[in-house]
Amino acid sequence: MQTYQIVTIDGDGIGAEVNPSAIAVLGEACGERLRFLAADGGAAHYVKTGAVLPADTFAACRESHAILHGAAGLPGVTYPDGTEVGNDLHLQLRFKLDLYANVRPIRLYAGVTSPLTGWGAGSIDYVIVRENTEGLYASRGAGVNLRGEVVTDTLVMTRKGVERVARFAFNLARRRPGARRDGQRRVTVCDKANILRSYAFFRAVCNEVAADFPDVEIDHAYADAITVHLLKKPDFYDVIVAENMFGDIISDLGAGTVGGLGIAASAEVGDTHGLFQGAHGSAPDIAGQNLASPVATILSGALMLRWLGERHGDATMEAAARRVETAVESVLARGEHVPRDLGGAATCTEMTSAICRALA
Ligand code: ATP
């Protein structure tokens, strides 16, 4: 029986609540198949020790099958350049482990009311694939601040970087049933090719990759226009591939159409490693009060199971992923336990128990 070692980093704020919740649910779904190894990291750890990602944590991440993370970041804990320390935890993991594809599914679950009128369960169901190691965020820590007068950050794109994330998006489209509207497998390239050479390059390389996937339609949308399309015709989308910062922004918008950050799962994967955490931050405003929704982290855990299953040819892990997603959806649909961010009153621990019961 194949078992998997999962490094778990709670981090800061609600990370210490939602990560144990996801561990409980994944343990219920997979039993002895998952071995959890707790590791330190985050802004509070930085304050204590000077390291946001300690060397032993990084070594464990590198040597384990997957990483499950709560969230990191504390208000006021910043580097001298003003940027937040907490974000550096997953940014370092992204770059050091080459996690080039950030997968953010946008799905309207039963029991969740979209702020968009007329959309029911499952009628919004697409995935944003955000390039995760280049683009504008590649300049983090490397921008120039000239005597406090002139500041620059450079947008970086490489052929290799764009090609591999585009290929990832097309391969993902092949494994999906197509867009909700018409069943067409489709990859939408989100850019500003009309304004900047970098984005024109991004589009051109995506078009080249598309030639290898004649069964998947290629579509194009400018980053500003797609914010309107995602509100007006979300069922048209199947897989969207975008540069790092654009992907970051449109995935929060997409999350807003299906219930918000508390339900938005996220997977950051490369060819050999995977990091799984909800799309939200450490939410210091509600931390330590048992108010956070663990749903985003639990659904990210389901993405982890699916990724492990695909990577290791293990159908039982893929089946466990589906069971976790179904358990979450059945709890939300019954309406007895609804987290506060979705209009209910269930605490983090109540949600966890309800989902574990649904699984059992
Ligand atoms: P970051 O930049 O680190 O992603 P952020 O500044 O976008 O973080 P979050 O920490 O994600 O901010 O919080 C944004 C808002 O969403 C806060 O009001 C927070 O309480 C709420 N929120 C985030 N995650 C959850 C959750 N799991 N459950 C309930 N509310 C949440």
Side-chain angles (χ1 to χ4, degrees):
M1 183 182 70
Q2 160 101 46
T3 63
Y4 301 95
Q5 177 161 297
I6 314 298
V7 177
T8 65
I9 310 171
D10 288 354
D12 306 301
I14 62 168
E17 299 162 59
V18 296
N19 213 35
S21 162
I23 292 167
V25 170
L26 296 173
E28 183 71 43
C30 301
E32 308 286 292
R33 307 284 311 277
L34 301 181
R35 290 174 283 117
F36 294 104
L37 178 71
D40 289 326
H45 193 77
Y46 171 86
V47 171
K48 261 195 295 183
T49 67
V52 65
L53 176 67
D56 54 346
T57 295
F58 177 65
C61 290
R62 202 183 44 216
E63 280 141 33
S64 295
H65 290 97
I67 308 154
L68 184 70
H69 175 42
L74 288 175
V77 181
T78 55
Y79 289 126
D81 68 1
T83 60
E84 265 191 41
V85 168
N87 287 325
D88 212 24
L89 174 75
H90 58 251
L91 282 162
Q92 282 193 35
L93 287 169
R94 255 175 220 173
F95 289 106
K96 289 179 173 169
L97 299 176
D98 204 19
L99 310 175
Y100 61 82
N102 182 188
V103 181
R104 293 190 165 184
I106 306 295
R107 181 172 187 278
L108 184 57
Y109 276 84
V112 180
T113 308
S114 170
L116 309 179
T117 46
W119 300 95
S123 63
I124 302 176
D125 188 348
Y126 59 90
V127 181
I128 294 171
V129 178
R130 161 190 175 192
E131 200 294 316
N132 212 31
T133 52
E134 327 186 319
L136 192 54
Y137 294 170
S139 281
R140 182 175 154 94
V144 173
N145 182 331
L146 214 54
R147 297 183 293 278
E149 295 291 340
V150 180
V151 188
T152 63
D153 283 306
T154 307
L155 196 159
V156 180
M157 285 191 194
T158 66
R159 175 171 289 280
K160 177 186 163 194
V162 180
E163 213 174 277
R164 66 184 182 175
V165 79
R167 206 163 281 286
F168 184 98
F170 278 95
N171 277 318
L172 176 61
R174 272 198 174 151
R175 296 197 301 276
R176 287 176 48 84
R180 281 297 139 128
R181 173 176 289 197
D182 52 11
Q184 174 67 52
R185 292 199 167 92
R186 177 178 292 126
V187 170
T188 300
V189 182
C190 167
D191 57 44
K192 279 298 276 181
N194 53 336
I195 303 290
L196 292 177
R197 282 185 184 156
S198 51
Y199 290 115
F201 174 80
F202 186 84
R203 179 177 288 206
V205 175
C206 288
N207 289 346
E208 282 171 31
V209 171
D212 292 339
F213 297 83
D215 50 321
V216 181
E217 181 181 288
I218 185 159
D219 168 58
H220 302 96
Y222 295 131
D224 45 351
I226 206 170
T227 61
V228 177
H229 300 327
L230 292 181
L231 303 185
K232 294 204 147 191
K233 52 168 192 175
D235 61 335
F236 176 76
Y237 294 99
D238 181 15
V239 176
I240 301 170
V241 63
E243 174 269 331
N244 205 333
M245 184 177 69
F246 284 165
D248 192 12
I249 294 169
I250 65 168
S251 56
D252 273 19
L253 174 80
T257 66
V258 295
L261 291 176
I263 198 172
S266 173
E268 301 179 56
V269 300
D271 293 331
T272 52
H273 291 83
L275 164 67
F276 302 83
Q277 63 172 320
H280 57 75
S282 59
D285 53 332
I286 55 166
Q289 300 165 62
N290 202 13
L291 297 179
S293 167
V295 172
T297 314
I298 293 169
L299 291 175
S300 304
L303 295 179
M304 180 183 84
L305 300 182
R306 184 165 292 114
W307 178 77
L308 286 170
E310 284 168 2
R311 191 166 148 62
H312 298 277
D314 185 343
T316 60
M317 282 293 123
E318 297 187 55
R322 278 193 299 278
R323 284 177 52 229
V324 170
E325 287 163 349
T326 305
V328 169
E329 185 151 32
S330 71
V331 168
L332 293 174
R334 274 204 300 275
E336 283 165 31
H337 297 90
V338 176
R340 301 173 82 92
D341 61 315
L342 294 178
T347 62
C348 184
T349 46
E350 284 167 351
M351 285 307 296
T352 311
S353 310
I355 294 166
C356 284
R357 277 198 303 277
L359 267 171

